[in-house]
Amino acid sequence: MANRSTLRTPRTRAERQRETREALILAALDAFSRDGYHATSLEGIANEAGFSKGAVYSNFDGKSDLFLALMDFNLEMLRGADWDPFSTADAADTATAGEAEPKTAGGLEIAEMVRGFGLATLEFIATAARDEKLVFALRERMQVMIGAYERIATEARPADENLPPDDIARLMAALDQGSSILALSGITLVDPALIRAGLRRILDPASAADDPAPERDSSISYPGVAQVQRLFQETPEI
């Protein structure tokens, strides 16, 4: 007979629904990153997560709602309270010797996922911009990112700065997102060290002007890869 202390307490309905929702979000992360926003189907996401299409509709209103939930998931990971856009740590700092590079739940390399999801997001933005309801929802998500930069701008605000922190935050977010678009388009290599230098120039021009030129790192071709690698190494699977 099993020891009572080893018996697992049955999951509540709310717990099962949360687990289903999270599994669908992780499957969607792989699907959208691999196939893009328009080419991804809800049926394919459901199959990848091991559920029926009905499970998707019981948790999300449709594909756009699922993508917005995925954006929320990424914003929560990448724009947490301890987020630091000037962090210079990379994946090698947290990797264990001989340990394989982390991958997504569906087996994508982190660099593939970051680039693929960035492209899918551009597709979604183009779609949302033509939909009054979606553009409002998208604006809310972008404001989360700007709010994170505003926290940084407020904490590091120079005494002689005339621009308000929210304006500085918008400029920093514009550099962040604009550099991503350049990298995704393949127009130019966007080095993380150069982005950090640019953010410092926006945040505190007088001090940053005396900084030495950043050492370029050609191993990462677009922003976010090292940060996501660290998150996948440090965060337990959902």
Side-chain angles (χ1 to χ4, degrees):
M1 179 179 293
N3 190 308
R4 285 180 179 272
S5 64
T6 64
L7 294 177
R8 182 178 179 181
T9 303
R11 293 171 299 169
T12 65
R13 180 180 178 182
E15 288 173 334
R16 291 195 303 271
Q17 184 173 15
R18 186 187 70 248
E19 290 174 1
T20 299
R21 181 181 175 89
E22 290 172 343
L24 288 168
I25 287 175
L26 288 178
L29 175 62
D30 278 287
F32 285 127
S33 299
R34 183 183 61 244
D35 303 324
Y37 178 73
H38 293 302
T40 296
S41 69
L42 293 182
E43 185 174 5
I45 292 172
N47 290 338
E48 203 159 319
F51 297 104
S52 67
K53 190 175 179 179
V56 179
Y57 281 107
S58 66
N59 286 276
F60 306 98
D61 291 338
K63 185 160 75 168
S64 60
D65 188 45
L66 175 52
F67 196 87
L68 288 169
L70 183 51
M71 290 184 73
D72 290 337
F73 175 74
N74 283 341
L75 285 169
E76 183 178 351
M77 285 201 308
L78 299 178
R79 298 289 188 265
D82 59 348
W83 174 69
D84 180 7
F86 300 110
S87 173
T88 58
D90 58 26
D93 295 328
T94 55
T96 302
E99 184 177 298
E101 287 294 319
K103 295 184 179 182
T104 67
L108 287 178
E109 298 286 346
I110 299 302
E112 289 181 276
M113 185 274 286
V114 171
R115 184 176 189 277
F117 187 71
L119 291 171
T121 301
L122 292 180
E123 288 183 75
F124 179 76
I125 290 173
T127 299
R130 294 178 173 86
D131 185 307
E132 184 176 345
K133 181 180 177 181
L134 284 181
V135 79
F136 178 78
L138 180 63
R139 190 179 300 127
E140 288 183 319
R141 272 76 182 176
M142 292 300 101
Q143 190 57 49
V144 172
M145 179 183 295
I146 293 171
Y149 273 119
E150 186 172 355
R151 173 179 61 81
I152 300 295
T154 300
E155 292 173 353
R157 183 176 177 81
D160 59 349
E161 178 58 71
N162 294 320
L163 284 176
D166 59 334
D167 282 348
I168 296 172
R170 288 185 177 88
L171 291 172
M172 295 176 76
L175 174 60
D176 179 338
Q177 296 302 294
S179 61
S180 296
I181 291 174
L182 284 176
L184 289 169
S185 67
I187 292 174
T188 185
L189 178 68
V190 183
D191 185 272
L194 182 59
I195 295 173
R196 290 193 297 270
L199 290 173
R200 288 193 183 93
R201 291 288 181 114
I202 294 173
L203 189 63
D204 190 351
S207 296
D210 295 327
D211 290 347
E215 294 185 11
R216 307 297 290 270
D217 180 3
S218 60
S219 65
I220 299 176
S221 59
Y222 36 85
V225 173
Q227 189 176 20
V228 175
Q229 284 176 331
R230 291 198 306 275
L231 287 167
F232 271 79
Q233 286 165 335
E234 297 167 0
T235 305
E237 288 189 12
I238 294 175

